[in-house]
Amino acid sequence: MPSLATSHPHLPRHATADTDISVLPRIFEDAYNIAILQRRLPADVALSAQAQCLTQRPWQYSWLGSPDEAFMADLRRQLPAPEAATPLLDDMVTIAEAIAFLFDTETIGIRLRLLNSAMCPRFHCDNLPVRMVTTYHGPGSEWLPEHATNRAGLGAPNPNRPEIVTDDSAIQRLAAGDIALIKGSGWEGSEEHGLVHRSPSMTEGETRLLMTIDPA
């Protein structure tokens, strides 16, 4: 499977991507505000995730603590299809443990959401140090290269604000399965350089299963 840098030759200098997990620690480098581990979801994980999407209503689950057995048991009880949840849960725990190790913390905030519309449709920058995002089903998050961003347009919508996007053709999108670490404005040294991103637009009947992790 080619790396994102190979399949997207115009990857901006502030982004790094690879198919090896060693790409994720590069988020600590000043040069990058997004680090992407590109991966193809294993078939059993994809099917397990899809089973949780076969419901008429959006839902969300959140957990603050360690990604331990108590987390798995609590989430399993609340999933729409708990009998099909094991591959998804195992994958979530593997990712969560890796993020906790990377940021040297025992406490992380995990959120899993089934969406049927864009959660944050406007391009924005998170007001926190860093967030992990991965999409298990449906379209992935979209983000802007710095050269296509007018940061004067960020913030609450206002008729006097300029457009944020200066080049629509430059918009990037994560694929389902990709694991991305995104710097926000709360990261020391990135107060004015956090990644600008948004939720993808969704068509009628489309769903998206999104997991985010915030190191505490």
Side-chain angles (χ1 to χ4, degrees), residues 49-69:
Q50 187 174 10
Q52 312 311 319
C53 302
L54 301 178
T55 176
Q56 298 299 314
R57 297 182 179 179
W59 54 264
Q60 68 174 23
Y61 171 85
S62 59
W63 174 270
L64 181 62
S66 299
D68 52 17
E69 291 293 332

Side-chain angles (χ1 to χ4, degrees), residues 109-122:
I110 304 173
R111 185 169 291 177
L112 184 67
R113 305 174 187 176
L114 178 66
L115 306 164
N116 59 11
S117 61
M119 182 175 59
C120 302
R122 179 177 167 83

Side-chain angles (χ1 to χ4, degrees), residues 27-29 32-35 103 125-132 180-195 197 213-216:
I27 196 66
F28 291 102
E29 300 179 27
Y32 303 118
N33 61 10
I34 181 171
F103 291 96
C125 179
D126 293 332
N127 186 27
L128 46 72
V130 65
R131 170 168 286 164
M132 189 288 307
L181 287 171
I182 295 173
K183 283 180 183 173
S185 59
W187 185 284
E188 185 176 355
S190 286
E191 292 83 358
E192 305 298 329
H193 304 287
L195 187 80
H197 62 285
I213 296 178
D214 297 341

Side-chain angles (χ1 to χ4, degrees), residues 1-8 17-20 37-40 178:
M1 184 169 56
S3 71
L4 189 62
T6 301
S7 58
H8 295 265
D18 208 325
T19 57
D20 192 278
L37 171 60
Q38 188 187 39
R39 64 169 189 155
R40 187 183 302 276
D178 287 350

Side-chain angles (χ1 to χ4, degrees), residues 23-173:
V23 72
L24 293 180
R26 301 198 73 183
I27 196 66
F28 291 102
E29 300 179 27
D30 292 341
Y32 303 118
N33 61 10
I34 181 171
I36 305 165
L37 171 60
Q38 188 187 39
R39 64 169 189 155
R40 187 183 302 276
L41 278 178
D44 61 337
V45 177
L47 288 172
S48 180
Q50 187 174 10
Q52 312 311 319
C53 302
L54 301 178
T55 176
Q56 298 299 314
R57 297 182 179 179
W59 54 264
Q60 68 174 23
Y61 171 85
S62 59
W63 174 270
L64 181 62
S66 299
D68 52 17
E69 291 293 332
F71 159 71
M72 293 185 70
D74 187 59
L75 177 53
R76 188 187 297 272
R77 283 192 297 267
Q78 300 187 51
L79 286 174
E83 72 286 351
T86 297
L88 174 63
L89 288 174
D90 288 345
D91 191 74
M92 290 177 62
V93 168
T94 298
I95 296 172
E97 288 177 343
I99 298 302
F101 177 81
L102 182 61
F103 291 96
D104 191 24
T105 180
E106 295 183 0
T107 302
I108 55 175
I110 304 173
R111 185 169 291 177
L112 184 67
R113 305 174 187 176
L114 178 66
L115 306 164
N116 59 11
S117 61
M119 182 175 59
C120 302
R122 179 177 167 83
F123 276 109
H124 64 283
C125 179
D126 293 332
N127 186 27
L128 46 72
V130 65
R131 170 168 286 164
M132 189 288 307
V133 299
T134 190
T135 300
Y136 280 107
H137 179 78
S141 300
E142 296 177 346
W143 57 278
L144 279 179
E146 195 63 33
H147 70 80
T149 304
N150 183 355
R151 290 183 178 268
L154 295 174
N158 185 306
N160 297 320
R161 289 190 186 277
E163 290 293 327
I164 299 170
V165 184
T166 62
D167 180 3
D168 287 336
S169 68
I171 296 173
Q172 305 282 313
R173 174 179 283 186

